[in-house]
Amino acid sequence: MNRTRTSIVDIARAAGVSKSTVSLVLQKSPLVSEATREKVNAHIKELGYIYNRGAANLRQSKSKIVGIVVNDLTNSFFAELAVGMDMVVQSAGYVQFLAHSGESVDRQREVIASMRENGIAGLILSPARGTEASDIKALVGGDIPVVVVVRNLPGAKVSTLLSDNYAGAKAAVRHLISLGHSRVAFMGGFQDTAVFGERLRGYRDALQDAGIAAEEKYTIHSAPSRAGGVVALERLMTIPERPTAALCLNDAVAFGVCDGLRAHGLEPGKSFAIIGFDDVIEAKTAVPALTTVSVDPQGMGQRAAQLLLKQINSGQRDQEAITTSVRLVVRQSCGAPVKQLEEMA
């Protein structure tokens, strides 16, 4: 059995045309006549030739692969973010190479190195905790455009797309204060991330503006996940003069806080007021529906992909720093009257 792979040269010989003509047909060039195109395609089908577009792209130094690395695909926010990116990337004729770092800088380095070996045209990165500008220096120095999303990366000479974490947190806490809450917690998140710092600052400034002291015991750290929300709620239950409301770092933490409240026989939105951050798809359908700061993750993903493709297509590496606006979406999870809430304090 002949196991030799069919080549362009074989197709050219069979069709009685030049190798360059076969290449033009494979690239769907309008320079080839319809009759010649039909003849070449017939021999391609007959000989079972498969066009290796990836190799062709590398030969032409025009990759059609976009690398996307996110820090936590288990969080539906990042899944929605990736969906938004894919919508734009795919419609532009590119293929998405998606990887999950799992908050590991070492894992992130490995997947980025693999992407470079596969000839990516550009990279969108939501950095793992502890990422430094030097971690992507090789990409920037190698003239591969990079867009950093969600978490800022100080010192990196790349474009960034972030949400207005400070304004969103401040608006959320102001809303809780307007409902009569004076003991408001900030729940969830790692202290060493920029997102945590920005949202915590908005939380504290909103309290200060209302003449309310921001007590350290009301800032409860945990993993920014649903499981982390349960852990944070358990810690909150041990605090004397417990808060009556909380702003959570993200919706995943907020869902976990709801789980923890129910485990204690308390009803979210009736026994305790909760606001999340992100507005993932599940926020609207949760019971009770989650009040949250809407970041529009799919829209953010689309905008990040558009920013990267703009740089790829133009060949320009101009740095752009974009901060997207956010809005508070009020639903049922923060609707509890304060007098009733204070019964659990």
Side-chain angles (χ1 to χ4, degrees):
M1 181 180 292
N2 182 12
R3 295 182 180 273
T4 303
R5 185 172 179 175
T6 303
S7 69
I8 288 180
V9 174
D10 297 325
I11 302 299
R13 285 201 195 106
V17 298
S18 67
K19 177 182 172 183
S20 59
T21 298
V22 177
S23 295
L24 289 172
V25 171
L26 291 169
Q27 295 166 28
K28 300 181 180 179
S29 170
L31 299 176
V32 182
S33 70
E34 192 58 35
T36 300
R37 188 186 310 279
E38 289 178 1
K39 181 170 65 172
V40 170
N41 281 330
H43 285 287
I44 287 173
K45 185 176 181 181
E46 179 183 341
L47 296 176
Y49 175 76
I50 298 174
Y51 183 36
N52 189 332
R53 190 171 297 278
N57 286 336
L58 289 175
R59 288 193 297 271
Q60 298 167 15
S61 298
K62 292 181 180 178
S63 170
K64 300 297 284 186
I65 304 171
V66 168
I68 297 172
V69 183
V70 297
N71 53 290
D72 186 10
L73 266 179
T74 64
N75 184 333
S76 58
F77 169 83
F78 291 101
E80 291 181 39
L81 187 79
V83 166
M85 294 174 187
D86 187 57
M87 290 168 65
V88 172
V89 166
Q90 201 172 55
S91 66
Y94 285 77
V95 176
Q96 179 185 127
F97 188 162
L98 176 64
H100 163 68
S101 69
E103 296 289 11
S104 167
V105 174
D106 290 339
R107 166 67 177 161
Q108 181 175 272
R109 290 193 189 107
E110 289 173 5
V111 297
I112 290 176
S114 178
M115 288 177 176
R116 288 187 68 199
E117 290 170 6
N118 281 275
I120 57 170
L123 174 71
I124 302 174
L125 172 67
S126 177
R129 290 173 64 201
T131 301
E132 298 179 356
S134 58
D135 290 317
I136 60 171
K137 187 177 181 180
L139 287 174
V140 178
D143 205 32
I144 295 176
V146 178
V147 173
V148 169
V149 296
V150 182
R151 294 174 174 174
N152 199 9
L153 196 54
K157 297 178 180 180
V158 297
S159 293
T160 57
L161 181 66
L162 313 171
S163 57
D164 198 338
N165 296 304
Y166 173 81
K170 196 169 185 179
V173 176
R174 279 178 172 172
H175 181 70
L176 291 171
I177 293 170
S178 74
L179 295 176
H181 298 281
S182 58
R183 297 200 302 274
V184 180
F186 183 88
M187 303 179 72
F190 297 125
Q191 299 180 66
D192 59 351
T193 64
V195 171
F196 177 92
E198 291 162 4
R199 293 179 185 178
L200 180 65
R201 187 164 58 88
Y203 156 82
R204 287 176 171 169
D205 284 356
L207 292 175
Q208 184 177 2
D209 290 349
I212 301 170
E215 299 190 45
E216 284 298 323
K217 65 182 179 182
Y218 290 164
T219 298
I220 304 171
H221 309 291
S222 73
S225 63
R226 190 164 192 151
V230 174
V231 171
L233 190 278
E234 291 303 316
R235 292 173 182 164
L236 179 141
M237 296 301 290
T238 67
I239 299 174
E241 290 190 309
R242 286 196 296 267
T244 59
L247 168 63
C248 299
L249 181 85
N250 59 26
D251 289 349
V253 170
F255 294 142
V257 170
C258 290
D259 294 340
L261 285 168
R262 291 191 179 103
H264 283 274
L266 302 167
E267 188 60 29
K270 294 182 179 178
S271 301
F272 191 83
I274 302 169
I275 297 182
F277 209 115
D278 288 340
D279 198 20
V280 297
I281 291 172
E282 296 95 327
K284 185 184 295 185
T285 57
V287 179
L290 184 66
T291 295
T292 184
V293 178
S294 179
V295 173
D296 184 15
Q298 282 197 28
M300 193 173 187
Q302 290 174 345
R303 195 163 180 184
Q306 289 164 353
L307 182 57
L308 182 69
L309 291 176
K310 174 184 172 184
Q311 295 190 8
I312 292 172
N313 295 331
S314 68
Q316 301 298 316
R317 302 293 179 263
D318 297 335
Q319 296 176 45
E320 295 186 55
I322 300 172
T323 301
T324 62
S325 60
V326 298
R327 64 188 179 90
L328 181 65
V329 179
V330 179
R331 300 191 180 106
Q332 287 73 45
S333 69
C334 66
V338 175
K339 287 182 180 179
Q340 182 178 349
L341 292 171
E342 289 180 346
E343 293 174 4
M344 67 170 282

